[in-house]
């Protein structure tokens, strides 16, 4: 394979072994960005000069024989909402209001310490409030497989950039599916970790009790390496977990023999398109052939989870944006203005109830589901990826229906805080990628990654890349 098609782990290990120079890797990415960016608009900013300087420093360190981090010299790109003191983040807006929690991103600091190079910041839906990839200020992000289709959102640039091989991995945020949906639409891996597994310090808040940083990568092993670097307690984020961080990368080799895969018999498969359903069934057959047991599961209370999540997200978004909305409404596009203002009409009692119910619902869900199976298997996106035109509904009445269809299978797990991984599993009849989603008990990311790695090892679904758009 050519260099741009190597995985993150392959290129990181090659740099450390002096089989390739970091500067060559960075130049490969920058050349692809130059070619693809005008067509898919995946980046908010390209940091070419600083990336080249960092690559030269990385190569000098290799030559000097100094200790190297596990991402030494590898170009990454992240959603433009992780803060650095040296620059202003756009947050997907043309005039971002002040946000609480601003400060240097602990996550970026951990990646820096591992030797990663930031090659750019990625396009996103305005203030992370949008599942499609439309952006009135930065321009729409487009799907690299077919540019008339959406890349999904809100971390739209992450899915598009990693699929088009413009960077080797990156981070977004997932509040209702905002990493998993773009990963599915663009044919890459997308992980939403357990709530608290990864620090949120220095990340733009949308809904602090639901927001989770998430990972885009080309393979399950790549996700495992990135997760192992950023996971763990952070004194700057009091909600981060102090549980030990396992060796995720080693665990991907453990296989799936004997694991029970639960297939929901209610809610999540309702309304799934035929070509998506076919890919889901094929993926189950592949996992069964690897030794997994497929079992039916009834999921408790699924119809309430998305609505409860919405109460939290819109209430907290209104608390962050309320004052700016009242004084500078024109700074918001119609859809984002409508959605951010929704929380102003939610009673405090409803918000408090949604919070108070959360732990009990999670306990009942875990007891009912994971006493029967080890992992849930369901769609990430239950329909083929739609076009930009089909989803360009602004703040109209059609907005709510469009959003509901897109986040139907993802938002429930944000409310529950469970880990969920989107795994590429082929293509629908319109020629765009689709995926299945694996969901586990709290802090079971290692199990999800092992299953995804085993599946991809026999199907190679993630190795296909989009052709350069005409």
């Amino acid at each position: 394979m050519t260099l741009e098609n190597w995985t993150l782990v392959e290129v990181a290990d090659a740099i450390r072994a002096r089989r390739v120079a970091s500067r060559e890797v960075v130049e490969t990415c920058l050349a692809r960005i130059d070619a693809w960016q005008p067509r898919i608009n995946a980046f908010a900013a390209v940091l070419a000069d600083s990336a080249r300087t960092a690559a030269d420093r990385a190569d000098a360190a290799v030559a000097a024989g100094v200790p190297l981090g596990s991402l030494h010299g590898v170009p990454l790109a992240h959603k433009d909402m992780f803060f650095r003191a040296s620059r202003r983040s756009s947050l997907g807006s043309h005039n971002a209001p002040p946000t609480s929690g601003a400060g240097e991103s602990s996550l970026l600091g951990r990646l820096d310490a591992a030797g990663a190079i930031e090659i750019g910041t990625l396009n996103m839906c305005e203030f992370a409030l949008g599942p499609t990839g439309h952006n009135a200020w930065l321009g729409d992000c487009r799907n690299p497989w077919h540019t008339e289709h959406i890349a999904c959102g809100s971390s739209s640039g992450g899915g598009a950039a990693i699929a088009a091989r413009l960077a080797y991995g990156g981070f977004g945020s997932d509040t209702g599916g905002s990493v998993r949906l773009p990963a599915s639409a663009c044919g890459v891996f997308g992980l939403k970790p357990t709530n608290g597994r990864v620090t949120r310090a220095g990340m733009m808040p949308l809904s602090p009790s639901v927001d989770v940083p998430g990972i885009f990568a080309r393979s399950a092993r790549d996700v495992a390496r990135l997760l192992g670097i950023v996971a763990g307690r952070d004194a700057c984020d009091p909600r981060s977990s102090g549980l030990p961080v396992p060796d995720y990368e080693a665990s991907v080799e453990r296989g799936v023999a004997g694991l029970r895969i639960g297939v929901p018999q209610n809610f999540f498969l309702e309304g799934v398109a035929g070509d998506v359903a076919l890919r889901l069934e094929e993926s189950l057959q592949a996992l069964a052939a690897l030794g997994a047991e497929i079992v039916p599961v009834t999921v408790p209370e699924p119809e309430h989870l998305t609505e409860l999540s919405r109460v939290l997200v819109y209430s907290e978004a209104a608390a962050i944006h309320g004052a700016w909305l009242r004084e500078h409404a024109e700074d918001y596009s119609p859809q984002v203005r409508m959605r951010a203002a929704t929380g102003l009409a939610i009673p405090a009692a409803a918000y408090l109830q949604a919070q108070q119910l959360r732990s009990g619902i999670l306990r009942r869900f875990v007891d009912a589901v994971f006493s029967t199976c080890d992992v849930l298997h369901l769609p990430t996106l239950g329909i083929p990826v739609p076009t930009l035109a089909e989803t360009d509904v602004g703040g109209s009445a059609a907005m709510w229906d469009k959003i509901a269809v897109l986040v139907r299978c993802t938002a429930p797990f944000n409310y529950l805080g469970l880990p969920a991984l989107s795994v590429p599993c082929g293509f629908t009849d319109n020629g765009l990628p689709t995926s299945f989603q694996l969901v586990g008990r709290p802090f079971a990311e290692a199990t999800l990654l092992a299953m995804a790695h085993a599946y991809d090892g026999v199907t190679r679904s993630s190795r296909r890349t989009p052709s350069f758009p005409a």
Side-chain angles (χ1 to χ4, degrees):
M1 291 187 298
T2 53
L3 182 57
E4 66 266 18
N5 287 318
W6 292 9
T7 67
L8 176 148
V9 168
E10 288 167 347
V11 77
D13 293 351
I15 290 171
R16 291 164 60 87
R18 302 191 187 192
R19 296 196 302 273
V20 67
S22 175
R23 181 62 181 261
E24 181 184 356
V25 175
V26 165
E27 293 295 350
T28 296
C29 289
L30 289 173
R32 289 186 68 83
I33 293 169
D34 285 345
W36 281 82
Q37 174 65 7
R39 291 164 171 79
I40 64 174
N41 196 30
F43 279 79
V46 179
L47 308 176
D49 291 343
S50 61
R52 289 185 171 111
T53 300
D56 290 342
R57 287 199 302 266
D59 290 333
V62 172
V66 301
L68 306 175
S70 60
L71 294 177
H72 187 82
V74 179
L76 305 179
H78 316 294
K79 191 174 186 177
D80 197 17
M81 56 177 283
F82 294 95
F83 299 124
R84 287 195 188 274
S86 59
R87 65 162 186 260
R88 179 182 180 275
S89 298
S90 75
L91 314 183
S93 171
H94 74 125
N95 190 19
T99 58
S100 61
E104 193 81 9
S105 165
S106 294
L107 182 149
L108 294 185
R110 291 179 177 185
L111 295 172
D112 292 344
I117 294 172
E118 190 175 18
I119 202 166
T121 60
L122 296 171
N123 200 349
M124 58 182 283
C125 295
E126 183 183 353
F127 301 120
L129 263 173
T132 62
H134 290 86
N135 188 301
W137 314 117
L138 303 184
D140 299 340
C141 182
R142 295 172 176 269
N143 195 301
W145 292 91
H146 291 295
T147 56
E148 296 307 307
H149 289 72
I150 63 172
C152 282
S154 63
S155 308
S156 47
I162 306 310
R165 304 319 196 229
L166 311 186
Y168 289 89
F171 282 79
S173 68
D174 195 312
T175 305
S178 290
V179 164
R180 288 162 290 158
L181 290 170
S184 179
C186 298
V188 298
F189 291 81
L191 174 70
K192 182 198 86 65
T194 306
N195 199 332
R197 179 76 287 185
V198 178
T199 176
R200 292 167 291 191
M203 181 179 87
M204 181 207 81
L206 171 61
S207 174
S209 68
V210 181
D211 297 337
V212 181
I215 299 172
F216 292 102
R218 304 178 185 184
S219 74
R221 187 183 294 279
D222 289 355
V223 175
R225 179 167 294 192
L226 290 167
L227 181 61
I229 290 165
V230 300
R233 177 68 177 168
D234 176 19
C236 295
D237 179 1
R239 295 189 180 186
S240 61
S241 172
L243 288 176
V245 177
D247 187 340
Y248 294 112
E249 194 171 346
S251 71
V252 299
E253 298 291 352
R254 74 188 203 187
V256 301
L259 290 177
R260 299 164 301 166
I261 300 176
V263 179
Q265 301 301 290
N266 56 327
F267 187 76
F268 290 106
L269 295 177
E270 296 171 10
V272 172
D275 47 356
V276 175
L278 182 58
R279 300 289 90 77
L280 293 172
E281 180 58 32
E282 290 169 350
S283 69
L284 284 170
Q285 292 173 5
L287 288 163
L290 290 167
E293 179 186 359
I294 312 301
V295 298
V297 175
T298 298
V299 178
E301 309 174 79
E303 65 277 4
H304 302 308
L305 299 176
T306 297
E307 191 59 37
L308 288 165
S309 183
R310 285 181 61 192
V311 170
L312 298 186
V313 171
Y314 290 133
S315 297
E316 294 177 359
I320 291 169
H321 289 273
W324 199 267
L325 270 169
R326 293 184 184 97
E327 298 174 10
H328 303 279
E330 70 282 357
D331 285 342
Y332 295 82
S333 62
Q335 182 176 126
V336 174
R337 182 167 60 243
M338 174 75 73
R339 295 184 70 194
T342 297
L344 299 173
I346 295 175
Y351 173 76
L352 291 171
Q353 186 178 39
Q355 288 285 20
Q356 290 164 355
L357 290 171
R358 201 174 181 189
S359 60
I361 291 175
L362 172 61
R363 184 173 58 255
R364 290 192 296 275
F365 187 98
V366 169
D367 289 346
V369 171
F370 296 114
S371 61
T372 303
C373 67
D374 300 295
V375 172
L376 271 180
H377 177 288
L378 61 149
T380 306
L381 180 63
I383 61 171
V385 179
T387 66
L388 285 156
E390 290 168 341
T391 52
D392 189 11
V393 294
S396 69
M399 170 189 72
W400 297 111
D401 289 338
K402 292 290 186 184
I403 291 171
V405 169
L406 293 173
V407 305
R408 178 181 177 87
C409 295
T410 55
F413 304 108
N414 291 89
Y415 180 73
L416 294 171
L418 295 174
L421 175 66
S422 184
V423 182
C425 65
F427 294 78
T428 52
D429 293 346
N430 65 358
L432 280 102
T434 191
S435 69
F436 61 87
Q437 184 179 192
L438 298 174
V439 180
R441 65 178 69 245
F443 301 99
E445 287 86 356
T447 301
L448 307 185
L449 291 167
M451 187 166 288
H453 178 72
Y455 168 81
D456 198 52
V458 296
T459 64
R460 310 289 285 180
S461 291
S462 66
R463 287 289 183 163
R464 284 186 60 180
T465 58
S467 300
F468 189 67

